[in-house]
mmCIF file of all heavy atoms in Angstrom:
data_model
loop_
_atom_site.group_PDB
_atom_site.id
_atom_site.type_symbol
_atom_site.label_atom_id
_atom_site.label_comp_id
_atom_site.label_asym_id
_atom_site.label_seq_id
_atom_site.Cartn_x
_atom_site.Cartn_y
_atom_site.Cartn_z
ATOM 1 N N TYR A 67 48.357 -11.887 -8.097
ATOM 2 C CA TYR A 67 47.768 -10.782 -8.847
ATOM 3 C C TYR A 67 46.308 -10.589 -8.467
ATOM 4 O O TYR A 67 45.586 -11.562 -8.237
ATOM 5 C CB TYR A 67 47.859 -11.051 -10.355
ATOM 6 C CG TYR A 67 49.272 -11.278 -10.847
ATOM 7 C CD1 TYR A 67 49.746 -12.569 -11.071
ATOM 8 C CD2 TYR A 67 50.129 -10.207 -11.083
ATOM 9 C CE1 TYR A 67 51.037 -12.788 -11.529
ATOM 10 C CE2 TYR A 67 51.425 -10.414 -11.535
ATOM 11 C CZ TYR A 67 51.872 -11.713 -11.757
ATOM 12 O OH TYR A 67 53.159 -11.918 -12.200
ATOM 13 N N LEU A 68 45.892 -9.338 -8.403
ATOM 14 C CA LEU A 68 44.496 -8.993 -8.143
ATOM 15 C C LEU A 68 43.943 -8.250 -9.344
ATOM 16 O O LEU A 68 44.530 -7.260 -9.790
ATOM 17 C CB LEU A 68 44.366 -8.141 -6.881
ATOM 18 C CG LEU A 68 42.926 -7.800 -6.465
ATOM 19 C CD1 LEU A 68 42.791 -7.808 -4.949
ATOM 20 C CD2 LEU A 68 42.498 -6.441 -7.020
ATOM 21 N N SER A 69 42.816 -8.748 -9.882
ATOM 22 C CA SER A 69 42.151 -8.106 -11.023
ATOM 23 C C SER A 69 40.752 -7.708 -10.582
ATOM 24 O O SER A 69 39.900 -8.571 -10.353
ATOM 25 C CB SER A 69 42.071 -9.068 -12.217
ATOM 26 O OG SER A 69 43.367 -9.525 -12.582
ATOM 27 N N ALA A 70 40.526 -6.415 -10.442
ATOM 28 C CA ALA A 70 39.255 -5.921 -9.912
ATOM 29 C C ALA A 70 38.249 -5.669 -11.021
ATOM 30 O O ALA A 70 38.607 -5.305 -12.147
ATOM 31 C CB ALA A 70 39.484 -4.642 -9.116
ATOM 32 N N PHE A 71 36.948 -5.848 -10.709
ATOM 33 C CA PHE A 71 35.879 -5.596 -11.656
ATOM 34 C C PHE A 71 35.436 -4.140 -11.615
ATOM 35 O O PHE A 71 34.495 -3.767 -12.307
ATOM 36 C CB PHE A 71 34.680 -6.499 -11.359
ATOM 37 C CG PHE A 71 34.913 -7.935 -11.754
ATOM 38 C CD1 PHE A 71 35.498 -8.815 -10.865
ATOM 39 C CD2 PHE A 71 34.550 -8.392 -13.008
ATOM 40 C CE1 PHE A 71 35.723 -10.136 -11.229
ATOM 41 C CE2 PHE A 71 34.771 -9.709 -13.374
ATOM 42 C CZ PHE A 71 35.355 -10.576 -12.487
ATOM 43 N N SER A 72 36.076 -3.349 -10.785
ATOM 44 C CA SER A 72 35.765 -1.926 -10.685
ATOM 45 C C SER A 72 37.071 -1.182 -10.433
ATOM 46 O O SER A 72 38.026 -1.757 -9.904
ATOM 47 C CB SER A 72 34.773 -1.668 -9.541
ATOM 48 O OG SER A 72 34.478 -0.296 -9.428
ATOM 49 N N ALA A 73 37.113 0.066 -10.853
ATOM 50 C CA ALA A 73 38.326 0.855 -10.655
ATOM 51 C C ALA A 73 38.608 1.035 -9.167
ATOM 52 O O ALA A 73 37.704 1.370 -8.395
ATOM 53 C CB ALA A 73 38.183 2.213 -11.334
ATOM 54 N N MET A 74 39.847 0.799 -8.758
ATOM 55 C CA MET A 74 40.247 0.994 -7.368
ATOM 56 C C MET A 74 40.990 2.320 -7.252
ATOM 57 O O MET A 74 41.841 2.645 -8.089
ATOM 58 C CB MET A 74 41.128 -0.172 -6.902
ATOM 59 C CG MET A 74 40.425 -1.512 -6.949
ATOM 60 S SD MET A 74 41.432 -2.885 -6.307
ATOM 61 C CE MET A 74 41.427 -2.484 -4.539
ATOM 62 N N ARG A 75 40.653 3.060 -6.234
ATOM 63 C CA ARG A 75 41.242 4.384 -6.058
ATOM 64 C C ARG A 75 42.489 4.313 -5.174
ATOM 65 O O ARG A 75 42.504 3.581 -4.183
ATOM 66 C CB ARG A 75 40.220 5.339 -5.440
ATOM 67 C CG ARG A 75 38.960 5.487 -6.275
ATOM 68 C CD ARG A 75 37.989 6.483 -5.655
ATOM 69 N NE ARG A 75 36.751 6.557 -6.418
ATOM 70 C CZ ARG A 75 36.593 7.285 -7.519
ATOM 71 N NH1 ARG A 75 37.613 8.004 -7.960
ATOM 72 N NH2 ARG A 75 35.448 7.308 -8.148
ATOM 73 N N PRO A 76 43.530 5.081 -5.517
ATOM 74 C CA PRO A 76 44.734 5.089 -4.679
ATOM 75 C C PRO A 76 44.452 5.707 -3.310
ATOM 76 O O PRO A 76 43.533 6.517 -3.160
ATOM 77 C CB PRO A 76 45.718 5.941 -5.492
ATOM 78 C CG PRO A 76 44.847 6.791 -6.373
ATOM 79 C CD PRO A 76 43.650 5.944 -6.695
ATOM 80 N N ASP A 77 45.236 5.311 -2.339
ATOM 81 C CA ASP A 77 45.123 5.842 -0.976
ATOM 82 C C ASP A 77 43.725 5.644 -0.396
ATOM 83 O O ASP A 77 43.206 6.496 0.338
ATOM 84 C CB ASP A 77 45.490 7.331 -0.931
ATOM 85 C CG ASP A 77 46.892 7.596 -1.453
ATOM 86 O OD1 ASP A 77 47.793 6.797 -1.113
ATOM 87 O OD2 ASP A 77 47.081 8.560 -2.202
ATOM 88 N N THR A 78 43.091 4.535 -0.741
ATOM 89 C CA THR A 78 41.761 4.210 -0.237
ATOM 90 C C THR A 78 41.793 2.864 0.469
ATOM 91 O O THR A 78 42.376 1.903 -0.046
ATOM 92 C CB THR A 78 40.727 4.152 -1.390
ATOM 93 O OG1 THR A 78 40.697 5.423 -2.049
ATOM 94 C CG2 THR A 78 39.338 3.815 -0.876
ATOM 95 N N ASP A 79 41.201 2.791 1.636
ATOM 96 C CA ASP A 79 41.145 1.524 2.377
ATOM 97 C C ASP A 79 39.974 0.692 1.868
ATOM 98 O O ASP A 79 38.877 1.218 1.623
ATOM 99 C CB ASP A 79 40.969 1.788 3.881
ATOM 100 C CG ASP A 79 42.205 2.425 4.504
ATOM 101 O OD1 ASP A 79 43.310 2.167 4.012
ATOM 102 O OD2 ASP A 79 42.041 3.185 5.480
ATOM 103 N N TYR A 80 40.192 -0.611 1.726
ATOM 104 C CA TYR A 80 39.152 -1.540 1.304
ATOM 105 C C TYR A 80 39.035 -2.661 2.326
ATOM 106 O O TYR A 80 40.046 -3.179 2.802
ATOM 107 C CB TYR A 80 39.454 -2.131 -0.075
ATOM 108 C CG TYR A 80 39.394 -1.109 -1.187
ATOM 109 C CD1 TYR A 80 40.536 -0.418 -1.590
ATOM 110 C CD2 TYR A 80 38.194 -0.826 -1.827
ATOM 111 C CE1 TYR A 80 40.482 0.530 -2.594
ATOM 112 C CE2 TYR A 80 38.125 0.123 -2.844
ATOM 113 C CZ TYR A 80 39.274 0.793 -3.227
ATOM 114 O OH TYR A 80 39.209 1.728 -4.216
ATOM 115 N N ARG A 81 37.792 -3.018 2.641
ATOM 116 C CA ARG A 81 37.538 -4.078 3.610
ATOM 117 C C ARG A 81 37.163 -5.369 2.867
ATOM 118 O O ARG A 81 36.340 -5.344 1.947
ATOM 119 C CB ARG A 81 36.394 -3.676 4.535
ATOM 120 C CG ARG A 81 36.045 -4.726 5.592
ATOM 121 C CD ARG A 81 34.803 -4.320 6.357
ATOM 122 N NE ARG A 81 34.936 -2.972 6.911
ATOM 123 C CZ ARG A 81 33.927 -2.301 7.439
ATOM 124 N NH1 ARG A 81 32.709 -2.827 7.454
ATOM 125 N NH2 ARG A 81 34.122 -1.101 7.937
ATOM 126 N N LEU A 82 37.752 -6.478 3.260
ATOM 127 C CA LEU A 82 37.418 -7.771 2.682
ATOM 128 C C LEU A 82 36.133 -8.276 3.326
ATOM 129 O O LEU A 82 36.058 -8.465 4.528
ATOM 130 C CB LEU A 82 38.552 -8.774 2.934
ATOM 131 C CG LEU A 82 38.318 -10.202 2.439
ATOM 132 C CD1 LEU A 82 38.224 -10.238 0.922
ATOM 133 C CD2 LEU A 82 39.446 -11.119 2.929
ATOM 134 N N ILE A 83 35.091 -8.493 2.494
ATOM 135 C CA ILE A 83 33.801 -8.914 3.054
ATOM 136 C C ILE A 83 33.348 -10.273 2.525
ATOM 137 O O ILE A 83 32.297 -10.777 2.929
ATOM 138 C CB ILE A 83 32.700 -7.864 2.793
ATOM 139 C CG1 ILE A 83 32.500 -7.638 1.293
ATOM 140 C CG2 ILE A 83 33.020 -6.560 3.490
ATOM 141 C CD1 ILE A 83 31.341 -6.704 0.980
#
Side-chain angles (χ1 to χ4, degrees):
Y67 303 100
L68 184 143
S69 303
F71 286 88
S72 179
M74 299 183 71
R75 301 182 183 278
D77 303 318
T78 301
D79 292 330
Y80 293 92
R81 180 187 307 169
L82 177 65
I83 60 175

